[in-house]
Amino acid sequence: MKRGYLTVYLALTLAVMVSFVLALVEGARTSATRMRALCVADMGINSVLSEYNKELFEQYDLLLTDMTYGGGSGSIEAVRSHLKYYLTKNLDESTPDMSRDLLGMKLDDAYIEEHALATDNFAEAVRRQVSDYMDTTLTGLVTGVFDDLGGDLSGAGFDYDVSGKRAEVNARIDSFDDPTYINEEGEEVTEPIVNPGGSVDAIRGAGIIGLVLNDTSGISTKVVGLDDVLTRRTLDVGDGISDEERSLGDAAGKITYCEYLFDKCGYYLNEKDGSVFDYEIEYVIKGKDCDWDNLEAVARTLSLWREAINFVYLAGCESKKAEARAMAAALACVVLNPELEEPIMWAILLAWAYVEALQDVKILFEGDGVPVVKDDSSWHTGLTSIMHPKSALHSYPGQAGAKYGDYLNTMLLMESYDKLLPRSLDVMELDVREASGNGAFRMDACMQSFLVRIKTKSTHGHNAEIVRRSGYYYA
């Protein structure tokens, strides 16, 4: 029979070794608790961010968490509830029943201390994502397909005050007394002075679309309810973009944002499938609730620009001024007042410029080009067109020059950023709401980023606290 014995040395060494092993185990438990808390926090945060609104991303390439989740009130508490759900699944319910858990971790609580909404700080989150999209995607890099005509229009005199000039000319003509003469019966008869621009002035208040298009059946007359769009309600407010996010990139300026809108939105001659407004860019510019009204307002602006430019051209074109002067001289001769020749000539030129402007709008609406500054080859209406303006308009397919998109792009660039940005968010809201399950969608209920504080507890007394700021970043 063999006897075992324990030396004093081994007893002393074993005590030290056991203490050392237990210290290592406890240290491993402490580190593992912290590591698991970090991993679970990242998984929970990423799970929340993975619930971005897919319709918004597919249509506008914007990554934002819809806090309504398809129909809720859209509060940050809904996001917190989702975050806690994911954290709980990865902590409380991650250990199988009847198993021995070295860590014994549970979720204590989770808080969202800060959050940035899409509409905070003049939609800074949206503008930053737009900037990243335009900088980093092939589509964004090639969207600048339209020219900015602003400089050319300014040089051509698009802002010339033709209305003031017309009022001045008409007042001068009206200041002359109507001539009188004795007819064959010996009666005194007053002959009214005929203003040759009268036929044109009579149609100035009429709808431009109906004047320039022979068939208007293809023009959308859709009316859109705007009672609950972003520009018509008081917005929810978050804490805004953090300095950390600002360090990652720039927000889109107006030029970049306008290019983005032309990439993502429809407009006349290039409508977007499934959009609420057929003419979305026109809505962003004019802000009316009807497609027809928005297109009509754009057409009226185009006619004003073209009328001013055409008049400046006519005033400097000696050959066309000579035509107008000859007609004015004949009319002045009829009323036996040579002093009327000069104001009548200007009235003729003003009327002629407007008829040519209608012709220009017709050409643009038919998809062809109109050069900013005219010459003899691109001037289409004759002097007699002022007598019958509508019948003087014709189609000129294939004409070179700036097209409707170029003029529309310039009009968009000239619009105030304070107006075009919120209206563009209206368009996004309306389009996303058309998709199933998105009826409650609101841009001010969309979260860009958040700062969370997650607390875990352990049956072994090793608690952990994780603070994370996270959100959507292209860069």
Side-chain angles (χ1 to χ4, degrees), residues 235-428:
L235 303 183
D236 291 339
V237 179
D239 299 292
I241 295 294
S242 66
D243 291 338
E244 178 184 343
E245 288 178 273
R246 288 195 177 96
S247 69
L248 298 175
D250 299 321
K254 186 162 75 168
I255 293 176
T256 300
Y257 196 82
C258 288
E259 290 178 351
Y260 167 80
L261 290 181
F262 270 95
D263 180 38
K264 297 299 180 184
C265 297
Y267 51 93
Y268 179 63
L269 300 179
N270 187 39
E271 291 83 357
K272 170 184 167 183
D273 292 338
S275 61
V276 175
F277 279 107
D278 282 2
Y279 313 139
E280 294 179 313
I281 298 292
E282 287 83 349
Y283 168 75
V284 172
I285 295 171
K286 298 300 181 181
K288 301 181 184 295
D289 65 354
C290 175
D291 275 330
W292 180 291
D293 291 344
N294 284 314
L295 187 60
E296 174 67 30
V298 166
R300 195 162 293 280
T301 297
L302 286 173
S303 69
L304 289 173
W305 287 2
R306 292 305 318 169
E307 180 184 9
I309 293 171
N310 292 340
F311 177 73
V312 171
Y313 167 76
L314 287 174
C317 181
E318 292 303 323
S319 61
K320 287 184 170 53
K321 280 179 70 176
E323 289 185 61
R325 188 176 293 279
M327 178 183 284
L331 292 172
C333 183
V334 169
V335 295
L336 304 175
N337 190 340
E339 293 182 10
L340 275 168
E341 179 181 324
E342 188 72 13
I344 287 178
M345 181 198 71
W346 289 114
I348 292 170
L349 292 176
L350 286 162
W352 197 0
Y354 184 69
V355 176
E356 182 71 13
L358 294 178
Q359 177 65 75
D360 293 340
V361 176
K362 180 178 178 65
I363 292 171
L364 292 172
F365 274 17
E366 291 177 348
D368 294 300
V370 173
V372 173
V373 179
K374 293 293 189 73
D375 56 26
D376 289 343
S377 65
S378 56
W379 190 274
H380 298 295
T381 57
L383 182 58
T384 56
S385 65
I386 66 174
M387 304 302 178
H388 305 286
K390 184 173 174 58
S391 61
L393 306 181
H394 304 286
S395 298
Y396 293 91
Q399 178 172 284
K403 297 192 175 183
Y404 177 72
D406 298 304
Y407 282 92
L408 194 66
N409 178 50
T410 303
M411 202 176 296
L412 188 66
L413 287 169
M414 289 183 176
E415 184 57 80
S416 164
Y417 209 2
D418 290 340
K419 291 182 179 179
L420 71 87
L421 178 59
R423 288 175 185 164
S424 70
L425 300 183
D426 285 351
V427 170
M428 294 177 191

